[in-house]
Amino acid sequence: MTFRATLAIALVAAAGPAMADNRALILANADYRFAADIDGAEDALAADEPLKDAGFSVVVGADMSAEGMREALAELIVDRDAAERIVILLAGHFVKSERGTWFLGTDARAPDLASADGMGLPLSTVLEIASGAPGGAIVLLGSDQARITLGTGLAPGIGGLDIPQGVTVLSGDAEEIAAFAAEDLPKPGFSLSALATGRPDLDARGYLGALSSFLPMPATEAGEADTTSAERAFWQVTRGMGTVASYEAYLARYPSGLFAPTARAEIARLKAEPARLAEEVENALRLTRDQRREVQRNLSLMGFDPRGIDGIFGRGSRTAITNWQKANGFDATGFLTRDQILQLSAQAGKKAAELEAEAAARRAEEERQDRLYWSQTGAAGDEAGLRAYLKRYPDGLFADLAQDRLDVIEENRRQTAAAQERAAWDRAVAMNTVAGYRDYLAAFPDGAFADEAREQIAALIEEQSGASEREKAAAAEAALNLPAVAKNMAELRLDQLGLKPGRVDGVFDDDTRRAIRRFQRSRGLNATGYLDQETVVQLLSGGIIRFGD
């Protein structure tokens, strides 16, 4: 492959006052040095002239390195907050992790989670820049299935996006995205919803205004020639947002304006659509991804499964919100208000406290029974009593002490056993199989280690019978894909509860598994020793969403 990089900046005068601050960025990365080329990415360059003709100042980059892309993005940021419309078109390789997505420069080489920021543009930054023109911002992402070598923590493609209010994101095949940008987007008089509908192969997310035109018709065609350019520009932004708040803002500024009747009609229509109004109210809260995760945890704690705690309100979360609203006498819109979020948080806090109290009472009773049984069995120090205690309480308060005493008994027995029998027993212990212990018993049915051999056989058979369940539990924990920080938090919480998880290092060893089982038993959960969603929710519950003033 060859490598080239070009950047062209075209700052053109707009056709009229309403188009004076439209800005666009096109980055077409087709020719990668260390990855397969992206077919159709270069087609994105064809959108340059149509966007200029539509009144946009355009920054264009072809086959850009990561550094070159950052320079191009810096050009777009100039006067971003004054822009009425922003178009960002990225065509090339995208990679994703659990928490982010990056657009890679053509010099990217086997990026991993640690190096992705240096080899590409974080889409979170791109979306934040686009948010400077709410209701008039569109981000276009084009790629294909081309192969790329990736390091730890990354996968090819576009992940979940935290899209700011008023920003539209369209993604799909690079050729389709390029055709949309060059042929459809520059057409005046079409809404974002209509434009997206015309390309069903593209994935449309975020804001999709169905009423207002993304690019307005000329004033003479739209019948707006008699109004001032300032009012016309304000109305275009208002229609682009399409919310009750935006129409009310227009009326406050132009109570007798040319579009005042339309604004009042749209307010009445929106208020007559509860779901649309509810969505608008939730969008106005501008919930962060962490706040959405907290909502999902609280819903799960209250018994309304959001199908994942990822900070993205998909179908599962909307269903859980709807069911919670029904249960609490709210209109079942599937969208939350500030007061509802606070009420849910209060309910979850109360539920967490109740669960904690129940767990404390259950632990106290279990410890009482544990101590009582120890006094009746293992406290005397004889082998039979110690084994009886460990069989009932393998993770009990005195389990370590009981095992230590049994080790001493075995060592003493080893010292007194005949050399031949000791050798047979050592072989059985080294094998640690049912067959190995049975071989020992066949040779020494009344040997010094006969009772222990029978105990080990019974334990191994029981362990084998539960292997399938452990595998399922281990797979369920792996499917949670918990980051290291979450594992550390889990161990820290177990330690705070006095459950002795061992070293708090994010590594789940035998001590951690025992602590998890103890916690699960105290909560009435299936005591597998592995984390599942319910265990994580109860273990880490208790946070409260806080809003700014």
Side-chain angles (χ1 to χ4, degrees), residues 32-344:
Y32 280 79
R33 297 178 65 186
F34 306 107
D37 292 346
I38 299 294
D39 291 337
E42 68 277 5
D43 294 349
L45 300 174
D48 181 16
E49 290 301 325
L51 286 173
K52 288 179 183 176
D53 292 342
F56 282 82
S57 300
V58 186
V59 178
V60 180
D63 295 330
M64 303 294 291
S65 67
E67 182 62 29
M69 293 195 305
R70 282 189 279 273
E71 292 176 2
L73 196 62
E75 293 289 341
L76 183 69
I77 295 175
V78 177
D79 295 329
R80 176 205 71 156
D81 293 335
E84 292 182 10
R85 293 173 185 80
I86 293 176
V87 173
I88 301 176
L89 169 54
L90 308 178
H93 276 292
F94 293 85
V95 294
K96 62 185 177 181
S97 72
E98 181 185 357
R99 298 181 181 275
T101 298
W102 292 262
F103 176 60
L104 294 180
T106 53
D107 57 343
R109 184 169 188 171
D112 57 22
L113 190 56
S115 62
D117 282 338
M119 296 188 188
L121 296 179
L123 286 196
S124 58
T125 300
V126 173
L127 291 170
E128 183 176 354
I129 292 172
S131 69
I138 184 165
V139 177
L140 306 173
L141 310 175
S143 190
D144 64 15
Q145 300 299 316
R147 181 183 57 81
I148 182 171
T149 301
L150 299 175
T152 302
L154 294 182
I158 300 169
L161 301 176
D162 191 3
I163 303 174
Q165 184 178 10
V167 175
T168 304
V169 177
L170 264 68
S171 59
D173 181 78
E175 291 185 5
E176 286 288 326
I177 284 290
F180 175 85
E183 301 168 10
D184 298 351
L185 190 61
K187 294 178 180 177
F190 288 89
S191 68
L192 288 173
S193 178
L195 290 170
T197 302
R199 297 278 179 174
D201 291 337
L202 301 183
D203 177 32
R205 286 179 275 180
Y207 171 75
L208 286 174
L211 299 175
S212 59
S213 302
F214 181 67
L215 294 178
M217 297 293 290
T220 55
E221 296 182 36
E224 299 174 1
D226 295 333
T227 190
T228 66
S229 60
E231 182 185 356
R232 182 167 61 246
F234 196 94
W235 177 247
Q236 287 167 353
V237 174
T238 298
R239 292 298 294 265
M241 297 180 69
T243 65
V244 170
S246 67
Y247 288 121
E248 288 176 341
Y250 169 82
L251 289 173
R253 187 165 181 175
Y254 301 104
S256 302
L258 180 63
F259 308 104
T262 303
R264 294 186 180 94
E266 287 304 315
I267 290 173
R269 186 187 64 79
L270 288 172
K271 289 186 175 180
E273 298 178 6
R276 174 72 180 273
L277 184 59
E279 181 177 7
E280 183 180 322
V281 169
E282 182 183 280
N283 287 341
L285 297 177
R286 301 185 68 84
L287 297 176
T288 66
R289 192 159 182 178
D290 284 340
Q291 286 174 327
R292 292 190 188 119
R293 286 192 185 96
E294 190 66 30
V295 167
Q296 289 169 326
R297 278 194 293 268
N298 290 340
L299 286 167
S300 184
L301 193 61
M302 296 305 298
F304 301 94
D305 186 3
R307 304 295 182 188
I309 300 174
D310 54 7
I312 298 173
F313 283 180
R315 182 178 300 175
S317 294
R318 293 302 177 192
T319 299
I321 291 170
T322 298
N323 292 336
W324 177 83
Q325 288 171 327
K326 289 178 181 177
N328 287 271
F330 294 112
D331 291 336
T333 63
F335 297 92
L336 291 165
T337 67
R338 176 191 177 94
D339 289 343
Q340 288 172 4
I341 291 174
L342 293 175
Q343 180 166 328
L344 173 60

Side-chain angles (χ1 to χ4, degrees), residues 339-395:
D339 289 343
Q340 288 172 4
I341 291 174
L342 293 175
Q343 180 166 328
L344 173 60
S345 181
Q347 289 178 352
K350 180 181 179 182
K351 181 69 172 180
E354 291 172 351
L355 290 173
E356 194 65 38
E358 292 172 3
R362 191 178 291 111
R363 280 199 304 271
E365 176 59 22
E366 287 181 352
E367 289 184 6
R368 188 186 71 79
Q369 295 287 348
D370 189 326
R371 294 180 187 279
L372 176 62
Y373 196 69
W374 171 254
S375 68
Q376 297 170 344
T377 55
D382 61 280
E383 183 176 1
L386 292 169
R387 294 194 183 283
Y389 174 80
L390 281 176
K391 185 173 183 180
R392 177 174 292 187
Y393 293 104
D395 302 322

Side-chain angles (χ1 to χ4, degrees), residues 437-507:
Y437 290 118
R438 284 177 175 167
D439 287 345
Y440 167 82
L441 287 173
F444 302 97
D446 298 317
F449 306 101
D451 288 340
E452 185 172 353
R454 295 184 181 94
E455 289 283 349
Q456 291 295 337
I457 289 171
L460 286 171
I461 291 174
E462 182 177 353
E463 181 179 350
Q464 291 168 3
S465 66
S468 177
E469 292 301 319
R470 283 195 303 277
E471 290 174 0
K472 290 180 182 178
E477 179 181 277
L480 294 176
N481 198 24
L482 295 173
V485 65
K487 292 183 177 180
N488 273 283
M489 290 174 62
E491 287 185 319
L492 181 60
R493 180 63 174 148
L494 290 167
D495 186 60
Q496 291 171 343
L497 292 172
L499 298 177
K500 301 179 180 179
R503 184 177 178 182
V504 177
D505 55 5
V507 178

